[in-house]
Amino acid sequence: MADAKAASLPSGVGQGFYVIDEHHPENGTLLGFWLYLMSDCLVFACLFAAYGVLGRNYAGGPTGAELFDLRLVALNTSLLLLSSITYGFAVLEMQRKRVVPTQGWLVVTGLLGAGFVAIELIEFAHLFHEGAGPQRSAFLSSFFALVGTHGLHVSFGIVWLLVLMVQVGRYGLIAANRRRLICLSMFWHFLDVVWIGVFTFVYLMGVLP
């Protein structure tokens, strides 16, 4: 039985990396991942709702108009949206089964995502330096909860991206890796959509009087 499994493996795949199609149906994996994304939508919906209720409760502290630097946020937004485009190029190269170009676009995507997280950390450090931490007011509590949760998602996405790059480099663009890259693509684009909501609802509306 073990020999039969080993014979079904693509060339170059070690004994510790089994890829058996009947155990990992592509449609089942994608359906399960869609269900996960829907649950994540509920998480962000709750955070947006909390910010909508608490976002004007400043408790005598600073407002969004006093704290937000739209130029920095616009740069951050550009990095994340551009990373979505570069991931799209990676998917196109994956479909052509070209490993090196796929890996190259994944590297660019990871660097853009890391730039996004770095700028967000700089923004948070500035807010703490100004005494505008999450304990200062309900507005800041809901702000840090929403924006921080999104930043954590991007950070986990970068870790996932690095793991997939190792897998692709070791095993190539086998069916399992292509399926995982598609799932990460859905996750990455989902984070872009959420960030557009954050940029509009939190930052742009936050600077209004």
Side-chain angles (χ1 to χ4, degrees):
M1 186 65 180
D3 292 339
K5 288 184 178 179
S8 67
L9 293 174
S11 59
V13 178
Q15 295 296 322
F17 190 80
Y18 287 95
V19 182
I20 304 175
D21 291 339
E22 60 268 26
H23 289 177
H24 300 281
E26 182 174 357
N27 291 339
T29 299
L30 293 179
L31 175 61
F33 198 76
W34 271 113
L35 293 175
Y36 159 71
L37 287 181
M38 293 303 102
S39 67
D40 231 13
C41 280
L42 293 177
V43 172
F44 279 107
C46 292
L47 292 173
F48 273 109
Y51 184 84
V53 172
L54 304 174
R56 296 288 178 176
N57 296 339
Y58 305 119
T63 67
E66 297 169 338
L67 294 174
F68 297 154
D69 183 353
L70 284 185
R71 292 172 298 178
L72 188 65
V73 179
L75 173 61
N76 219 15
T77 302
S78 300
L79 289 178
L80 191 61
L81 295 181
L82 187 58
S83 74
S84 188
I85 296 174
T86 58
Y87 200 105
F89 289 147
V91 171
L92 291 176
E93 295 296 342
M94 178 199 72
Q95 292 173 345
R96 298 187 182 106
K97 298 184 179 180
R98 300 170 61 187
V99 174
V100 174
T102 300
Q103 293 280 61
W105 285 115
L106 291 177
V107 169
V108 175
T109 301
L111 290 175
L112 291 171
F116 172 88
V117 174
I119 292 176
E120 192 166 278
L121 290 176
I122 292 173
E123 179 189 22
F124 284 3
H126 173 72
L127 293 177
F128 277 103
H129 179 73
E130 295 293 324
Q135 75 283 355
R136 181 65 181 83
S137 65
F139 153 64
L140 287 167
S141 295
S142 58
F143 167 81
F144 277 100
L146 175 56
V147 179
T149 299
H150 180 272
L152 283 175
H153 276 69
V154 176
S155 300
F156 291 142
I158 294 172
V159 174
W160 186 2
L161 181 69
L162 293 174
V163 172
L164 279 182
M165 288 180 61
V166 172
Q167 292 291 334
V168 171
R170 185 174 182 183
Y171 303 110
L173 293 170
I174 59 176
N177 283 337
R178 293 198 304 271
R179 182 170 60 246
R180 292 161 186 155
L181 286 169
I182 290 297
C183 287
L184 179 55
S185 174
M186 294 161 55
F187 179 75
W188 203 266
H189 296 316
F190 166 75
L191 294 181
D192 275 358
V193 172
V194 173
W195 182 254
I196 291 173
V198 172
F199 179 69
T200 304
F201 190 55
V202 175
Y203 289 100
L204 290 183
M205 294 183 65
V207 300
L208 297 177

